[in-house]
Amino acid sequence: MSASKSLPKIVVFSLGGTIASTDSGSTPRGVTPQLSGADIVATVPQLDRLAVVESISVRQVPSGDLTVEDIVELSRQVEQALTSGADGVVVTQGTDTMEETAFILDLLVRSERPVVVTGAMRSPGSLSADGAANLMAAVTVATSSAALALGTLVVLNDEIHAARFVRKTNVSSLAAFQSPNAGPLGWLVEGRVRLAMRVAPLASIGSVLHRPLASVALVKLSLGDEGRIVRCLASMDYSGVVIEGFGGGHVPAKMVAVIEELVGVMPVVLASRTGSGELLRETYGYPGSERDLLARGVWSAGVLDGLKARILLSLVLTDQPSRSQARDRFESITSSIAL
Ligand code: ASP
């Protein structure tokens, strides 16, 4: 009793995903998210040595069924747990959308205490199940003073990634999570947390709680794209769009007029479909180049990939209905990611 009093308190919020998935034996066969937060925590009795763990089951769903609204609400619960005495928070969920959900938490949770998102690439019943090890690693990071003031972290496969950089890069590998622009911030070895670098503080986003979220489309361009999908967006119920263009931020010349027209209707953000590197600003000068598009009022995603730029655009448009204020906020956040 007295020993547990000196242990840090960690709250685990569970949302489902492979880490919570088992085969119930009913048809259709296949694993589905059925384990509660308490079930998941109970599979790792070694956690008792590290922390007093409280579990809260929020959802038991595949992560593709989560919404931005769900995670905005989760950010409120996470913040509440941290202000009510938790030393850190761990979120368990499916890996399919983890790079987006973790970034939402990174943008919204205002606390220096660790928030760590984890999951599993293999379900608990499989020979190579990784959920228990990932949960142990996530709780270890959440209890570490080295993890203070790093924003939201994603911990899988004994690697510690910043939410703002991490991407799921493989369908099934245990090493699916990578941070192409920065590499992992650190790793775990023999249960020790090792941080090789720290991230800069993110500029704050304002408040989006209890507001209807601005809906933002994400469109990836392909060879020979004539812009038929992009043309439709103006008449659809979107408040903004992120276009994943070619290379450094390019579109076919024949799409320029369509994009210019769309800029008159809603904010248009340009990202790179390569998924890594920072968008160019002043290299190419042909129609449809990054210089050309930026001069026509398109915003740059900077170092963010399309998925993360879509999250950021939705949240800034929700917080700042005026387009110029939303743009200032969007740019101050993208430029705070890499100084
Ligand atoms: N389909 C699962 C999900 O995202 C995959 C996983 O958890 O790894 O819910």
Side-chain angles (χ1 to χ4, degrees):
M1 188 77 183
S2 55
S4 76
K5 269 199 170 147
S6 60
L7 291 175
K9 179 180 172 187
I10 301 297
V11 178
V12 175
F13 292 92
S14 65
L15 281 73
T18 295
I19 193 170
S21 291
T22 56
D23 187 345
S24 66
S26 58
T27 47
R29 296 301 297 269
V31 298
T32 54
Q34 298 175 47
L35 303 180
S36 66
D39 294 334
I40 296 169
V41 166
T43 62
V44 194
Q46 297 89 333
L47 292 172
D48 284 352
R49 285 191 256 128
L50 291 178
V52 176
V53 176
E54 180 191 336
S55 61
I56 300 177
S57 289
V58 181
R59 304 283 297 276
Q60 276 159 238
V61 295
S63 68
D65 284 350
L66 295 169
T67 64
V68 177
E69 284 84 350
D70 289 334
I71 309 303
V72 170
E73 166 56 19
L74 178 68
S75 74
R76 186 192 64 73
Q77 292 176 263
V78 166
E79 227 172 63
Q80 194 174 48
L82 293 172
T83 50
S84 317
D87 295 288
V89 157
V90 170
V91 175
T92 65
Q93 66 153 87
T95 61
D96 287 349
T97 61
M98 191 179 281
E99 64 205 271
E100 291 158 278
T101 57
F103 188 49
I104 298 170
L105 296 173
D106 199 18
L107 290 165
L108 296 182
V109 174
R110 289 179 196 84
S111 173
E112 301 228 312
R113 297 188 181 187
V115 178
V116 183
V117 184
T118 194
M121 293 299 297
R122 313 275 167 80
S123 60
S126 90
L127 267 183
S128 50
D130 54 335
N134 286 341
L135 180 60
M136 186 73 183
V139 171
T140 304
V141 173
T143 59
S144 168
S145 57
L148 291 170
L150 289 177
T152 298
L153 299 169
V154 170
V155 171
L156 283 103
N157 199 34
D158 278 341
E159 288 188 340
I160 304 164
H161 294 265
R164 65 202 69 169
F165 292 125
V166 78
R167 308 190 71 194
K168 183 175 181 179
T169 63
N170 189 282
V171 169
S172 55
S173 167
L174 296 177
F177 282 78
Q178 294 181 14
S179 297
N181 279 334
L185 300 184
W187 56 89
L188 290 107
V189 58
E190 298 172 333
R192 294 186 300 278
V193 174
R194 289 289 185 236
L195 261 301
M197 55 186 146
R198 302 186 68 81
V199 285
L202 268 190
S204 79
I205 194 129
S207 173
V208 296
L209 272 178
H210 313 304
R211 299 199 197 171
L213 286 174
S215 161
V216 172
L218 174 60
V219 180
K220 183 183 219 157
L221 301 194
S222 53
L223 182 69
D225 206 315
E226 290 163 357
R228 274 184 278 167
I229 292 176
V230 172
R231 191 175 287 114
C232 294
L233 293 171
S235 60
M236 299 174 82
D237 198 16
Y238 287 111
S239 306
V241 58
V242 175
I243 296 176
E244 281 189 3
F246 308 135
H250 310 138
V251 305
K254 45 169 101 142
M255 278 188 69
V256 171
V258 180
I259 289 178
E260 195 161 35
E261 216 171 287
L262 200 56
V263 168
V265 180
M266 63 181 73
V268 177
V269 170
L270 185 66
S272 172
R273 70 176 192 168
T274 65
S276 67
E278 182 171 340
L279 218 70
L280 301 177
R281 288 183 175 275
E282 47 191 11
T283 300
Y284 295 98
Y286 53 79
S289 67
E290 84 285 350
R291 283 187 85 114
D292 180 43
L293 295 171
L294 297 174
R296 291 174 200 272
V298 168
W299 307 1
S300 169
V303 78
L304 294 179
D305 62 36
L307 289 173
K308 291 196 202 308
R310 173 182 168 268
I311 294 293
L312 179 59
L313 183 59
S314 171
L315 297 182
V316 294
L317 290 175
T318 303
D319 176 46
Q320 301 280 352
S322 126
R323 203 197 281 202
S324 70
Q325 284 173 312
R327 182 173 188 163
D328 288 349
R329 189 57 64 88
F330 186 91
E331 286 176 351
S332 76
I333 293 169
T334 52
S335 49
S336 70
I337 291 174
L339 301 177

